[in-house]
Amino acid sequence: MHCGEFDKDLAVQKFQEYLKIKSVHPDPDYASAVTFLERYAKELRLDVKRIEVGANRREIIVMTIPGKDPSLPSILLNSHTDVVPVFLEHWKYDPWAAVKDDKRDIYGRGAQDMKCVGIQYLEAIRVLKVIRKESFQRTIHISFVPDEEINGGQLGMKLFLDTAEFKALNIGFALDEGLANPDNKYSVFYGERSPWWVRVKCHGNPGHGSRFISNTAAEKVQKVINSFLSFRSSEESRLNGDSCMFLGDVTSVNLTMLEGGVQPNVVPEEFIATFDIRIPPSVDLNAFEDKITSWCKEAGDDVTFEFLSKNKNQKTTSTKEDNPWWAAFAGVLQRRGVGIVKEIFPAATDGRFLREIGYPVIGFSPMRNTPILLHDNNEFLNEEIFLEGIEVYCELLPALANLKM
Ligand code: ZN
């Protein structure tokens, strides 16, 4: 079943309209996004709910198409409405003007991450529900959540999970964001790395800057940094030495903060090094923590560490044929003749919160032959690729929402 003819200009116009909304941190215009989405839902004759979460009363929009059998577990199509800041001087076009150039590349912050996907869901629904008058066995919910791009989604999706409205969704399977693939393939994500932020405090003898003080904090922090960064090098070589490996398959380590010192002629008694570590689901987390403990021990006495963030969720979604959701999802892409690359998401998305509480989730943004430009300057998506994504969802939604098991 194909999309057939649909109003492509209208779909692109909606995408551009959404890109023009400045839902950008640190002060996102969520009010305009909510107005835009509620108007959109009305246009598509979808039930729509606004759910407030958290102390700052952020709003989550949930649109719903009731299924013929509402007792069946539903399909959730999730996207986030917020985008990351821009460095204006590096953009060739105004990132809030949604300029389409002569190659039909549409520029804007959020063009890939992930306003494209939000519009593709809704335009596929326009084709299926409004134009073709189709209905589905299972209920479909389309959620638009704020604050994915700050505090690791803790203020958006994470808070939504605790609401009665979320529990009432009765989710069976969810789709969330993925990444573009520069080749003629689709990247799909079935899990994520666990982010660990580790702060290592090194204490030593203080003294005058002119002397050879023994057992200084600096010597200890040097050893700590060497241990973390030589592990970083070995993981980087492992990634670069094997063309079948992706970033999501190895542990990345970065020294992100270094604190300490009082004034130039004083040897301080403390240096603090902070590392951002991303650990794939295949790694034994307890063994990895032991490794950190031993690096700190080897650096000398009075070297301690604490976690600023320690995610222990290693749940993945099965991509085997015995998972009927996966089989339905992959079947559609196979019938369309596009290759699939299965990956672990290298960073974090809202999908991990859903996986953690047991839902199967696939991260998928249908962008093949497209450079990965999320959070980058000059983020764009080609019009043809954007429109193809609508066709993909036109096939995916019936396959998932009519799935028998
Ligand atoms: Zn995103």
Side-chain angles (χ1 to χ4, degrees):
M1 187 102 72
H2 292 279
C3 248
E5 282 304 303
F6 65 101
D7 191 341
K8 295 178 174 162
D9 291 341
L10 176 63
V12 171
Q13 185 196 313
K14 288 287 182 189
F15 183 33
Q16 289 175 308
E17 203 181 322
Y18 195 23
L19 286 174
K20 287 177 186 171
I21 297 171
K22 288 189 174 176
S23 49
V24 56
H25 291 288
D27 185 22
D29 178 8
Y30 284 134
S32 297
V34 166
T35 307
F36 169 76
L37 291 168
E38 285 188 332
R39 213 169 359 105
Y40 211 145
K42 222 171 178 182
E43 201 179 303
L44 301 178
R45 298 190 287 279
L46 300 175
D47 299 339
V48 58
K49 268 202 187 105
R50 220 195 258 203
I51 300 129
E52 269 183 17
V53 295
N56 49 7
R57 304 175 68 183
R58 292 298 201 213
E59 290 169 320
I60 287 161
I61 296 288
V62 180
M63 306 179 192
T64 298
I65 308 172
K68 285 186 269 190
D69 184 351
S71 70
L72 292 174
S74 67
I75 308 297
L76 178 72
L77 309 175
N78 184 59
S79 67
H80 61 82
T81 55
D82 56 329
V83 297
V84 295
V86 292
F87 299 99
L88 268 184
E89 63 276 24
H90 296 295
W91 281 68
K92 11 183 191 177
Y93 305 108
D94 176 357
W96 314 109
V99 171
K100 181 167 76 174
D101 73 3
D102 48 15
K103 284 188 273 180
R104 300 170 69 203
D105 292 334
I106 299 166
Y107 284 80
R109 175 56 86 224
Q112 292 192 9
D113 181 17
M114 62 174 303
K115 288 182 170 174
C116 51
V117 175
I119 301 294
Q120 284 163 333
Y121 292 151
L122 293 179
E123 287 304 309
I125 284 163
R126 187 196 301 277
V127 174
L128 297 168
K129 179 181 172 287
V130 181
I131 301 172
R132 295 214 307 237
K133 316 264 184 251
E134 280 185 31
S135 51
F136 309 98
Q137 284 300 322
R138 296 170 187 271
T139 297
I140 299 177
H141 301 289
I142 311 102
S143 54
F144 291 85
V145 302
D147 287 359
E148 192 275 341
E149 299 286 11
I150 51 157
N151 301 102
Q154 304 277 351
L155 303 175
M157 178 59 97
K158 181 80 168 54
L159 294 175
F160 181 38
L161 302 187
D162 296 329
T163 63
E165 286 91 343
F166 177 83
K167 284 165 190 132
L169 298 181
N170 182 30
I171 297 167
F173 176 76
L175 288 176
D176 194 26
E177 68 189 303
L179 293 174
N181 191 309
D183 300 322
N184 189 21
K185 289 171 190 159
Y186 284 132
S187 294
V188 299
F189 299 87
Y190 60 97
E192 295 185 11
R193 296 194 296 180
S194 302
W196 280 17
W197 295 341
V198 182
R199 196 163 182 258
V200 185
K201 286 188 186 173
C202 303
H203 291 271
N205 294 328
H208 197 277
S210 65
R211 308 186 53 221
F212 287 108
I213 311 287
S214 67
N215 208 23
T216 60
E219 292 162 283
K220 294 175 191 176
V221 81
Q222 179 188 19
K223 287 181 190 155
V224 166
I225 293 172
N226 286 347
S227 297
F228 277 82
L229 295 193
S230 63
F231 176 71
R232 178 188 193 273
S233 303
S234 67
E235 288 295 282
E236 193 185 15
S237 328
R238 217 155 63 82
L239 172 64
N240 294 337
D242 183 345
S243 60
C244 298
M245 273 214 185
F246 300 101
L247 180 55
D249 297 326
V250 297
T251 302
S252 62
V253 178
N254 278 297
L255 172 62
T256 50
M257 289 168 79
L258 202 48
E259 300 157 76
V262 201
Q263 63 181 57
N265 61 348
V266 172
V267 173
E269 68 93 32
E270 183 184 68
F271 276 112
I272 302 171
T274 303
F275 299 90
D276 179 323
I277 307 170
R278 310 289 173 120
I279 311 163
S282 54
V283 170
D284 178 334
L285 294 179
N286 291 325
F288 191 76
E289 187 170 342
D290 290 345
K291 203 190 289 252
I292 295 176
T293 308
S294 72
W295 289 338
C296 291
K297 216 170 160 195
E298 286 159 17
D301 57 346
D302 219 355
V303 176
T304 56
F305 68 95
E306 60 179 357
F307 288 101
L308 300 180
S309 159
K310 185 187 188 184
N311 189 308
K312 298 197 85 168
N313 165 29
Q314 294 193 300
K315 287 226 175 97
T316 54
T317 296
S318 165
T319 56
K320 303 242 163 62
E321 288 301 308
D322 62 358
N323 172 4
W325 298 110
W326 170 258
F329 175 88
V332 166
L333 299 188
Q334 271 147 19
R335 281 196 293 283
R336 291 187 61 86
V338 185
I340 298 175
V341 190
K342 297 187 221 173
E343 294 181 48
I344 293 294
F345 202 87
T349 74
D350 280 337
R352 75 182 188 285
F353 298 121
L354 296 165
R355 280 192 203 98
E356 191 169 9
I357 52 174
Y359 298 113
V361 181
I362 293 295
F364 176 55
S365 300
M367 301 184 282
R368 57 172 163 157
N369 298 313
T370 300
I372 300 173
L373 292 171
L374 83 164
H375 300 196
D376 208 339
N377 303 317
N378 296 312
E379 181 178 353
F380 74 82
L381 182 60
N382 185 270
E383 182 177 50
E384 206 56 55
I385 303 289
F386 167 72
L387 293 168
E388 183 187 48
I390 298 172
E391 292 178 19
V392 173
Y393 288 114
C394 278
E395 295 180 42
L396 274 178
L397 300 192
L400 294 168
N402 294 325
L403 180 66
K404 292 195 183 84
M405 59 171 91

